[in-house]
């Protein structure tokens, strides 16, 4: 059985939980409190971060790498496109999401810290604006199709969903012009796999 070491509020772990629940397979999620991290994480992941997947002798870290492995081991429903050209495009977009959006998560995570220096507050505002503008650019896609790659739910939707779930929590407000994107987000949030993957601490992030 696969074991996933997963942060209870961590958006990267959230991605892996979504894939595990979408696949409906046998696995165990080991909850990791990031404020009180057990020492064994540093033993299994040299970067001392979650998520980490352990499948017998295989130990994997990096959410997108873990998710591609699960997708290949359990191909139903397939989340990466079967065609090599579409798969390459999907990986390119996964990279863009990391670069433009998810690399900024550590700054966005400071949104709920009480005491912040002025400089940090400015950095947080710049980051919120960058993420908001990038999401606004994506909105027109969903006037034509249901999901990121077409009408089927895919790895791209998995990859971005934890951020969309946390927009309010990070203090990011989208304008009405991006309503197609928020409708798209609701489409993801209503999936059974998505609902089952939420931890109690994540459930309270959105009202
Ligand atoms: N690029 C990594 C990012 C993982 C990551 O940054 N995890 C953070 C949680 S947001 C972590 O475990 N940080 C260690 C800590 O907070 O002590 C992935 O996609 O898995």
């Amino acid at each position: 059985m696969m074991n996933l070491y997963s942060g209870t509020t961590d958006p990267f772990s959230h991605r892996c939980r979504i894939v595990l629940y979408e696949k409906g397979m046998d696995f165990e999620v080991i909850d990791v409190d990031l404020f009180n991290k057990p020492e064994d994480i540093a033993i299994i992941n040299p970067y001392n971060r979650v998520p980490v997947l352990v499948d017998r002798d295989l130990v994997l870290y990096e959410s997108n790498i873990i998710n591609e492995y699960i997708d290949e081991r359990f191909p139903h429903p397939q989340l990466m496109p079967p065609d090599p050209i579409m798969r390459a495009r999907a990986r390119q977009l996964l990279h863009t999401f990391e670069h433009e959006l998810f690399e900024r998560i550590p700054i966005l995570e400071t949104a709920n810290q009480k005491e912040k220096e002025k400089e940090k507050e400015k950095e947080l505002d710049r980051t919120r604006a960058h993420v908001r503008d990038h999401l606004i650019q994506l909105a027109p896609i969903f006037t034509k199709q249901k999901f990121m790659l077409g009408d089927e739910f895919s790895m791209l939707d998995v990859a971005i969903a934890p951020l969309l779930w946390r927009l309010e929590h990070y203090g990011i407000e989208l304008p009405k012009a991006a309503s197609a994107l928020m409708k798209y987000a609701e489409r993801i949030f209503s999936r059974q796999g998505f609902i089952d993957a939420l931890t109690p601490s994540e459930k309270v992030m959105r009202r």
Side-chain angles (χ1 to χ4, degrees):
M1 186 166 54
M2 290 185 177
N3 287 327
L4 180 76
Y5 289 82
S6 155
T8 49
T9 54
D10 166 34
F12 299 94
S13 303
H14 189 181
R15 281 178 172 166
C16 300
R17 282 184 265 115
I18 296 170
V19 168
L20 289 168
Y21 280 98
E22 281 283 335
K23 300 270 179 186
M25 41 180 280
D26 212 14
F27 59 87
E28 191 182 341
V29 173
I30 300 160
D31 285 337
V32 174
D33 176 358
L34 286 175
F35 299 101
N36 190 11
K37 213 167 27 165
E39 280 170 16
D40 43 341
I41 300 298
I43 300 167
I44 54 175
N45 178 353
Y47 300 104
N48 196 11
R49 300 196 298 205
V50 286
V52 181
L53 184 83
V54 181
D55 186 18
R56 297 175 194 227
D57 292 341
L58 179 71
V59 179
L60 286 178
Y61 41 86
E62 282 298 315
S63 54
N64 287 332
I65 294 176
I66 293 173
N67 280 351
E68 278 207 45
Y69 170 71
I70 301 171
D71 196 40
E72 286 176 13
R73 274 293 303 275
F74 300 91
H76 302 289
Q78 192 168 13
L79 295 171
M80 283 298 275
D83 166 64
I85 293 176
M86 282 303 288
R87 200 157 58 236
R89 287 202 177 119
R91 289 197 179 114
Q92 192 78 83
L93 275 169
L94 286 173
H95 171 78
T96 306
F97 286 175
E98 292 318 283
H99 190 64
E100 299 295 341
L101 304 171
F102 280 77
E103 281 173 13
R104 289 152 217 267
I105 293 282
I107 299 168
L108 294 175
E109 286 284 339
T110 66
N112 296 297
Q113 276 172 12
K114 296 237 154 50
E115 303 279 306
K116 269 196 293 293
E117 297 149 30
K118 251 205 164 111
E119 214 30 65
K120 288 261 174 222
E121 199 65 68
K122 278 191 197 155
E123 192 185 19
L124 177 59
D125 282 342
R126 278 197 300 272
T127 304
R128 281 175 171 141
H130 179 92
V131 168
R132 188 198 54 222
D133 292 350
H134 193 83
L135 291 175
I136 292 171
Q137 279 178 37
L138 294 175
I141 297 176
F142 308 104
T143 56
K144 299 186 209 93
Q145 59 196 48
K146 282 201 203 148
F147 293 106
M148 199 65 80
L149 287 184
D151 283 338
E152 297 298 325
F153 182 76
S154 78
M155 200 64 95
L156 272 298
D157 307 304
V158 170
I160 203 165
L163 172 64
L164 298 176
W165 182 256
R166 285 163 175 76
L167 288 181
E168 210 174 295
H169 182 67
Y170 291 153
I172 297 171
E173 217 174 303
L174 291 180
K176 281 223 165 67
S179 64
L181 180 90
M182 284 328 289
K183 278 198 191 120
Y184 155 70
E186 294 297 337
R187 213 169 286 138
I188 300 177
F189 302 160
S190 65
R191 295 177 72 83
Q192 196 56 51
F194 184 90
I195 295 167
D196 293 342
L198 287 170
T199 64
S201 335
E202 284 167 343
K203 278 190 183 134
V204 297
M205 283 175 181
R206 271 178 77 85
R207 270 175 274 135

